[in-house]
Amino acid sequence: MKVLVIGGAGYIGSHVARCFADHGIQVTIYDNLSTGTTDNLFPDYVFHQADILDYTTLVSVMREGFDAVVHLAAAKAAGESMVKPEKYSLQNITGTLNILNAACEAGISRLVFSSSAAIYGEPAYLPIDEAHPKQPANYYGFTKLEIERFLEWYDRLKGLKFAALRYFNAAGYDPEGRITGLEKNPANLVPVIMEVAIGRRPHLDVFGTDYPTRDGSGVRDYIHVTDLADAHYRALLYLMDRGESFAVNLGSEQGSSVLEILEAARRITGREIPARVTGRRPGDPATLVASSAEAKRLLGWEAHYSDMETILATSWKAYTSRLGNP
Ligand code: UD1
C-alpha cells in the first residue's frame, strides 16, 4: 500500500509515518517544515518539501498515485487561534480544501484526518462520546469541526471516504527512541514541563488551581502518540476494507491533573521543575475526558502506552537524547 502523509515531519505525523512504514506501507511525506523537521524523516520515505497552500504541487504529488492520504498538517495552538484567526482560516480551512480538491482531481478516495476534542467545547457531560454537542470554545476547534462538515459533503458528493480522528491530548514519544525531532516553541503541558526539566525554561506556569477538580488544576485525557499512530493504522485499514466514513474519539479515558503530572515528572526526571501558579488561561475547561468506546468497537483499538509514567518517561528520553542530560 502507498500512502501520502501530509504533515508527516511533525510531532504526531512522524509517529504515524513510522508506524505505517513498520507495517510495510510505502510512505511519502509532504511537509513544508514550518513546524516539522527533517530529523523526523527516515531513509525509507519519499519526501516532498511543499506547502498545502500550493495547489499545483499538491495535485502533481498526489498524481504519483496513492491508496490514501493522511492529513495532519494544521496549526494547533488553541490560544493563538483566538488572536490570529486568519492564520487558522488559511492553514486549516483553505489548506484542507486544497487537499480535498487535489485528492478528487488525482482520484484518491480515502482520507484520514486529524480532528480534535476541541470540536466539543465546554463539556455538557463526561466522559465525552461522539454524540456530545459540538460547540467549540476556540477558533481552532471551529476549524476542525467545519472540516468534518466539508468531509461529510465530499463523501456524499465525490465519494471521498474519510476517518475523522478526534484526538484528546497527544503526548509522549516513540518508546524505541527513533523519533528525535522535538517540537519548536511548544505550548502544550508535557513538552513545556520537559523544557523546564532540561533547563530551557525557568519554570512552569500552572494555569489555575481554582478549578472544580480534585486538586484545583485542569484535568485532561492524555493519549500516547504511539497509541494515536496505531489508531491511524487501524483507521486506514478500516477505510480500505470497508469503504465507510466514520469519526471517533481517541483518548485513554483517564484524567490527569496538571499538578499530578508535575509531581510525576519531578519523580521521573529527578529534576526540581520549578512551577508557579498563574491565572486561568482563557478558554480552558476544567476537565476533558474521552469515551473511546466507539474506537474500540469499530477499530478494535485501545491505548497501551498512555499511562502517565510511560508518557513522561518516553518524553524525557527524547529530550535527553536530543539535548543531553545536564
Ligand atoms: C488544546 C486543545 C486540543 C488541542 C491541543 C493541541 C482545547 C479545549 N483543547 O488542548 O484540542 O489538540 O490544544 O495544542 O482547545 N497548562 C498549564 N501550563 C502550561 C500549559 C498547559 O497549566 O504551560 C494546562 C492547561 O491549562 C490544561 C492542561 O495543562 O489544563 C493541558 O493544556 P495543553 O497541553 O495546552 O492542551 P489543551 O489546552 O488541553
Side-chain angles (χ1 to χ4, degrees):
M1 201 176 351
K2 215 175 146 190
V3 175
L4 182 65
V5 183
I6 303 179
Y11 168 56
I12 298 176
S14 59
H15 287 84
V16 170
R18 198 56 252 154
C19 167
F20 283 11
D22 289 347
H23 282 100
I25 293 172
Q26 286 181 56
V27 169
T28 297
I29 307 270
Y30 189 105
D31 199 303
N32 68 1
L33 299 181
S34 62
T35 54
T37 157
T38 52
D39 296 332
N40 288 334
L41 301 174
F42 289 77
D44 52 339
Y45 304 165
V46 174
F47 174 57
H48 295 279
Q49 182 174 357
D51 204 294
I52 54 177
L53 297 174
D54 176 359
Y55 185 71
T56 311
T57 304
L58 204 45
V59 174
S60 82
V61 169
M62 285 202 197
R63 286 219 168 103
E64 289 173 14
F66 295 96
D67 298 291
V69 171
V70 183
H71 169 28
L72 309 103
K76 62 156 188 170
E80 182 194 50
S81 77
M82 298 298 278
V83 285
K84 290 187 191 165
E86 306 91 330
K87 174 179 171 183
Y88 287 74
S89 301
L90 196 63
Q91 279 186 230
N92 295 9
I93 303 274
T94 308
T96 300
L97 289 176
N98 279 346
I99 290 171
L100 302 190
N101 288 344
C104 293
E105 209 170 320
I108 300 170
S109 61
R110 302 287 184 270
L111 184 133
V112 180
F113 171 64
S114 301
S115 189
S116 170
I119 67 167
Y120 296 115
E122 190 67 40
Y125 58 82
L126 293 166
I128 296 172
D129 58 18
E130 289 78 3
H132 186 283
K134 292 162 192 73
Q135 288 169 331
N138 51 60
Y139 192 72
Y140 161 75
F142 168 78
T143 65
K144 294 287 179 178
L145 181 57
E146 290 309 293
I147 292 164
E148 286 203 15
R149 291 181 172 144
F150 286 123
L151 287 170
E152 283 163 17
W153 278 103
Y154 274 70
D155 179 352
R156 276 170 64 185
L157 302 177
K158 302 293 294 184
L160 182 67
K161 299 298 168 189
F162 68 87
L165 304 182
R166 298 171 181 164
Y167 313 154
F168 279 64
N169 289 60
Y173 272 82
D174 176 37
E176 293 179 44
R178 296 170 297 173
I179 307 291
T180 57
L182 303 176
E183 286 193 277
K184 301 166 195 160
N185 302 316
N188 293 116
L189 181 65
V190 174
V192 168
I193 287 179
M194 291 297 132
E195 289 201 350
V196 178
I198 209 124
R200 270 196 167 183
R201 296 187 191 219
H203 54 258
L204 169 73
D205 284 328
V206 176
F207 297 146
T209 49
D210 57 349
Y211 285 104
T213 59
R214 51 186 175 261
D215 59 21
S217 66
V219 170
R220 295 289 182 275
D221 181 328
Y222 294 85
I223 177 80
H224 196 288
V225 67
T226 298
D227 287 326
L228 280 186
D230 175 49
H232 287 72
Y233 178 65
R234 289 167 184 267
L236 176 69
L237 294 189
Y238 185 96
L239 279 182
M240 301 312 291
D241 292 349
R242 307 277 289 266
E244 286 166 22
S245 300
F246 65 95
V248 291
N249 288 344
L250 295 174
S252 65
E253 305 188 315
Q254 305 296 321
S256 302
S257 77
V258 174
L259 295 179
E260 287 165 356
I261 295 169
L262 177 60
E263 273 319 302
R266 285 174 170 153
R267 184 168 43 76
I268 287 163
T269 64
R271 300 302 148 100
E272 186 195 341
I273 314 183
R276 60 178 195 191
V277 177
T278 61
R280 293 183 181 193
R281 187 173 61 177
D284 271 358
T287 303
L288 287 177
V289 179
S291 162
S292 288
E294 185 68 358
K296 185 169 187 185
R297 189 182 70 79
L298 277 187
L299 308 177
W301 175 83
E302 46 189 38
H304 293 291
Y305 296 93
S306 296
D307 57 288
M308 199 37 72
E309 193 84 13
T310 304
I311 285 176
L312 292 172
T314 55
S315 298
W316 186 233
K317 186 170 156 189
Y319 274 77
T320 50
S321 68
R322 187 80 202 176
L323 301 175
N325 197 347

